[in-house]
Amino acid sequence: MADAATDLHRARLTTAAYRLTGCGGDFAVFDETDETLSEASEEIDLVYRDGLTAPAPPPYPQVQLALVEGAVVSREDERHLRAIRESARTVVALGTCAVWGGLPASKDTWGGKVRRAVPLRQVVPVDYSLPGCPVTMPQFAGLLTSVLRGRPLALPLYPVCFECRLAENPCLWKTAPSACLGPVTAAGCTANCPSLGVPCYGCHGPAPEANFESYLSLLRRKGYTAEEAVTVLRTFGSNLPVRLTESGEEGE
Amino acid sequence: MATRRLTIMPVARIHGHGGLEVTSSGSGATAALMVDEIPRYFEEILVGRHVAEVPALVSRLCRRCGGGHRLAAALALEDALGVKVSRQTKLLRELYLHGLFLESHIHHFFYMALPDFYGALGVAELRRECPQEMDVADNIIALGRRIQRFVGGRRVHPVSMVVGGFASLGTSEDLVKIGWAVQRHLRDAEGLVRFAGELRTPPFLARPVVQRAIRPKGKTYGHLGKTVVTQPGGTAALEAEVNTMREVPVSYSMASHFLAGGEPCLVGPAARVNLGHDRLTTRAREALRKAGRQLPCTDPFFQHVARLVEIVFSFERMMWVNEQLLHEGLQPEPGPVIQPSGRRRGVGAVELPQGTCYHDYEVDGGGHVTRARIYPPTAQVLPQMERDLTALATAMSDVPEAELRLSLEMLVRSYDPCFICAAR
């Protein structure tokens, strides 16, 4: 990472964008013409982008930065990810599937078979993680800046509720027909969904400062069974920092 | 003639990972399309979910047409719950789909398909070869994204479209600006049809084909409706149509094939234009006429022309939708009322850029999904694509391999397949 910083003075950061199992939505950040981003992306030389550049690897281009989105679901994903790790100096888990497992990790059993979708860091060391479904432009620009400077990425520790209050939105907890995950979800989206009148689905993954025990009891009071509560909490990944003992399931 | 096996894995510039294999011998050729996306089992993820959560979850199927899936799910759940939506909701949903088509069709044609016609150059070279068209394309793509952002709240995985209507609305000021932009780019869009019509495509043998598309209510062309027309065949209600659909797993591909009535069929832009050209708006019909194709045109490469004709239609239609919305004034939508009444089934469908997409749900008395089925368009069209690849490989059996490879890839791209949705 320190090398990436010195390279800044020589050439643009060679970058490859890979997708494992996921929708590809996080790479949509490249399509936007956003001023904040375009200044940061001046520093980037995108040598490979999944689906758009031919031919696809192998061979994997040797790059300074690999942006990887999607969860690791298959053996092929795992092999692909290991090869990416070897070809890149810095690996970024981009988007909630890569950081938390995302929607594919919301259940473990499929038609009676056990199949786990896991985040990148359970397979290889990851240098940066940026959640979001999809990741937001300002946070992506912030990520690029951190990578270019070889600095750690600072993400909010507080939950979406904090940003929602700043936006002066009416609270959706009582009025929405489904549960709002704002109290336990990492902020960084500027309360995008609640600001549009839709409860938070938890797409940025768990907030480090969230109180899950208290949130579970809130859900129970709203009429959710233990099983339903777990389903809701697992929407965007399985690695919850809480022991969900009521249903016999355990998180990290 | 010796057996020749040709594998292209992966095929670049399509949505999702996958490839094709063609085996030809003296007795003919066979083709297989291998979808190499891992299923995310959306239908299982949805079981047990409250109906209000479903649209947000299904939008994660796809980065491009997630909003279309979101809308199909909302329509299906409204059908199951007996929810009626306002005229404004219908207009805004239509506007959203036009925005989605603008981005998807134009991005696909210029960034995925067009490099083939110029010797597989990169986008930078394309800009030198046809700078004017690329500029027009970028403007239309940007407008499409702006419309999706206006209606959906954000572009990728939109937020505002919910069961029963809209949770929030954009401003009239943005709507006015969109109206101006639509007016400004209509003529540019007409020029693109001419441009696409003049491209030299690989040879194709005329073949009989079953075509299917949604038939909108009334006399208009469009992307929403409650009946489906099949030719040869007839019309059917959405629920009857999905009841005839069989899912056939294939050993070599991660995506099953969907067959209605046992026959491969064509869905998507060419099927829609062939079945509904007499319903197109004036200038779209005129652009189609000038492209000089005999209708119905079953050449798969006609799909490129059909896509751009659909863009002209979207522009004309958006002018009308925009006018209606502005004339009536944007009214706040009441919050969606969800009152489940016993176990009910609901089916909804929208025309996505790739073809008809059906969502089919069963909801219990508590408002939770007990069964979910998603019929992505690419999964319906895969058997027809394989049939066409076979025909093309047979017709081109004596050309050099490099030319055959390019033609096969071009054929795959003419369908604009989405392997991510197909594996679902």
Side-chain angles (χ1 to χ4, degrees):
Chain A
M1 272 187 281
D3 291 342
T6 47
D7 283 339
L8 174 61
H9 305 290
R10 276 182 259 140
R12 298 195 297 167
L13 207 60
T14 51
T15 304
Y18 299 100
R19 180 175 59 84
L20 307 178
T21 296
C23 75
D26 298 305
F27 292 152
V29 286
F30 294 125
D31 304 333
E32 300 285 349
T33 44
D34 179 281
E35 269 179 45
T36 342
L37 181 65
S38 67
E39 283 192 20
S41 60
E42 294 274 293
E43 311 295 340
I44 273 194
D45 179 17
L46 194 60
V47 296
Y48 175 77
R49 178 175 166 186
D50 179 277
L52 268 187
T53 333
Y60 290 80
Q62 291 294 317
V63 290
Q64 285 158 311
L65 173 63
L67 301 168
V68 187
E69 76 151 276
V72 185
V73 182
S74 64
R75 241 177 259 269
E76 175 57 23
D77 281 342
E78 203 175 313
R79 191 200 56 73
H80 193 31
L81 177 59
R82 288 188 198 284
I84 293 166
R85 177 69 265 187
E86 288 201 356
S87 70
R89 195 178 298 156
T90 304
V91 171
V92 174
L94 194 68
T96 297
C97 286
V99 177
W100 293 106
L103 212 50
S106 62
K107 279 187 181 178
D108 285 340
T109 51
W110 310 95
K113 284 189 202 135
V114 175
R115 186 199 75 163
R116 293 211 67 184
V118 298
L120 307 190
R121 65 172 182 278
Q122 289 193 10
V123 180
V124 296
V126 168
D127 303 302
Y128 291 92
S129 291
L130 181 65
C133 186
V135 293
T136 65
M137 292 286 292
Q139 283 200 311
F140 183 66
L143 168 87
L144 288 185
T145 311
S146 296
V147 173
L148 286 161
R149 292 182 184 160
R151 305 277 296 165
L153 174 66
L155 291 172
L157 302 173
Y158 46 80
V160 172
C161 281
F162 187 87
E163 291 180 336
C164 202
R165 301 309 294 268
L166 284 179
E168 299 183 3
N169 294 323
C171 183
L172 291 166
W173 182 258
K174 287 210 169 103
T175 50
S178 55
C180 182
L181 276 131
V184 289
T185 301
C189 58
T190 59
N192 190 319
C193 295
S195 301
L196 292 165
V198 173
C200 171
Y201 298 103
C203 85
H204 276 235
E209 283 181 355
N211 183 343
F212 277 86
E213 284 78 5
S214 156
Y215 184 71
L216 273 177
S217 67
L218 269 175
L219 278 179
R220 299 300 299 274
R221 262 186 281 157
K222 204 176 159 80
Y224 278 69
T225 64
E227 202 191 344
E228 285 166 357
V230 171
T231 305
V232 166
L233 278 170
R234 284 193 55 173
T235 301
F236 284 93
S238 56
N239 296 29
L240 297 172
V242 63
R243 290 171 69 87
L244 302 170
T245 45
E246 285 165 304
S247 70
E249 282 213 35
E250 286 190 9
E252 257 181 356
Chain B
M1 188 182 138
T3 303
R4 181 161 80 160
R5 175 165 299 162
L6 205 156
T7 311
I8 307 174
M9 189 78 189
V11 174
R13 284 185 277 116
I14 55 171
H15 284 271
H17 303 151
L20 65 92
E21 190 169 274
V22 172
T23 315
S24 38
S25 64
S27 55
T30 51
L33 273 166
M34 294 91 79
V35 172
D36 199 18
E37 286 290 334
I38 309 299
R40 286 165 292 162
Y41 297 99
F42 267 82
E43 290 155 350
E44 291 199 43
I45 290 173
L46 296 173
V47 171
R49 290 288 181 167
H50 189 269
V51 289
E53 298 167 0
V54 172
L57 301 181
V58 296
S59 107
R60 266 74 188 180
L61 268 162
C62 183
R63 117 188 141 85
R64 263 202 314 173
C65 56
H69 283 287
R70 191 176 176 119
L71 181 48
L75 289 165
L77 294 166
E78 283 158 8
D79 185 36
L81 300 166
V83 173
K84 296 266 177 284
V85 301
S86 69
R87 177 177 143 80
Q88 172 175 279
T89 286
K90 289 179 187 164
L91 288 169
L92 284 168
R93 285 174 173 178
E94 186 184 336
L95 183 61
Y96 180 84
L97 284 175
H98 290 305
L100 190 142
F101 271 67
L102 256 56
E103 182 191 358
S104 177
H105 273 359
I106 300 293
H107 186 272
H108 167 261
F109 180 70
F110 282 91
Y111 286 86
M112 314 289 250
L114 200 58
D116 291 331
F117 295 93
Y118 287 88
L121 300 173
V123 171
E125 286 94 333
L126 265 186
R127 281 191 201 286
R128 278 199 289 278
E129 292 280 340
C130 35
Q132 245 179 327
E133 285 80 6
M134 290 303 284
D135 276 354
V136 168
D138 286 346
N139 285 334
I140 296 181
I141 291 168
L143 175 60
R145 289 177 178 158
R146 187 164 158 197
I147 292 166
Q148 291 174 71
R149 213 175 287 122
F150 168 76
V151 185
R154 71 174 170 193
R155 179 167 73 87
V156 180
H157 307 322
V159 176
S160 313
M161 286 189 285
V162 294
V163 176
F166 281 85
S168 54
L169 300 171
T171 64
S172 316
E173 194 190 340
D174 284 341
L175 194 58
V176 171
K177 286 184 188 160
I178 285 170
W180 289 342
V182 168
Q183 213 149 10
R184 203 161 53 238
H185 294 303
L186 169 61
R187 187 162 305 182
D188 298 341
E190 287 172 318
L192 296 184
V193 181
R194 203 163 43 243
F195 177 71
E198 286 164 4
L199 293 174
R200 244 188 94 238
T201 53
F204 204 78
L205 308 171
R207 83 280 194 226
V209 61
V210 179
Q211 305 190 75
R212 187 172 294 122
I214 289 179
R215 170 134 302 176
K217 212 169 127 186
K219 293 217 183 311
T220 57
Y221 191 89
H223 313 311
L224 293 164
K226 292 194 169 162
T227 34
V228 174
V229 59
T230 305
Q231 208 175 58
T235 53
L238 295 181
E239 192 172 320
E241 188 61 40
V242 294
N243 286 345
T244 68
M245 212 129 9
R246 270 187 311 122
E247 181 173 357
V248 186
V250 276
S251 59
Y252 50 81
S253 172
M254 298 303 273
S256 328
H257 293 179
F258 280 111
L259 285 167
E263 272 290 298
C265 82
L266 188 65
V267 294
R272 286 191 294 260
V273 169
N274 281 328
L275 295 172
H277 60 88
D278 51 339
R279 294 164 156 250
L280 283 167
T281 39
T282 329
R283 292 170 79 162
R285 212 180 313 158
E286 184 58 18
L288 176 63
R289 194 187 60 77
K290 280 189 188 150
R293 298 293 197 280
Q294 187 80 39
L295 294 183
C297 182
T298 60
D299 181 352
F301 292 100
F302 171 60
Q303 296 183 105
H304 290 311
V305 177
R307 262 178 213 114
L308 295 164
V309 168
E310 286 196 318
I311 293 307
V312 179
F313 159 75
S314 279
F315 270 97
E316 282 184 277
R317 182 73 186 171
M318 276 192 293
M319 302 224 285
W320 180 82
V321 171
N322 192 275
E323 206 171 281
Q324 300 294 308
L325 286 168
L326 282 174
H327 178 70
E328 286 157 34
L330 289 173
Q331 308 294 335
E333 296 264 338
V337 183
I338 295 169
Q339 281 177 316
S341 53
R343 196 184 169 86
R344 293 280 297 278
R345 180 184 175 194
V347 181
V350 299
E351 284 292 338
L352 292 182
Q354 296 81 4
T356 321
C357 174
Y358 307 85
H359 280 231
D360 177 2
Y361 299 101
E362 262 171 43
V363 179
D364 68 15
H368 292 86
V369 172
T370 54
R371 192 185 67 97
R373 296 286 286 152
I374 297 164
Y375 301 82
T378 297
Q380 299 167 48
V381 90
L382 284 170
Q384 184 63 43
M385 287 173 75
E386 288 186 348
R387 204 183 251 199
D388 288 350
L389 286 166
T390 305
L392 189 67
T394 311
M396 296 183 78
S397 59
D398 47 4
V399 304
E401 186 173 311
E403 194 186 333
L404 176 60
R405 288 176 84 94
L406 176 64
S407 298
L408 291 170
E409 287 198 39
M410 285 170 81
L411 180 60
V412 172
R413 286 184 203 113
S414 77
Y415 276 91
D416 184 17
C418 181
F419 286 176
I420 304 177
C421 287
R424 70 201 193 285

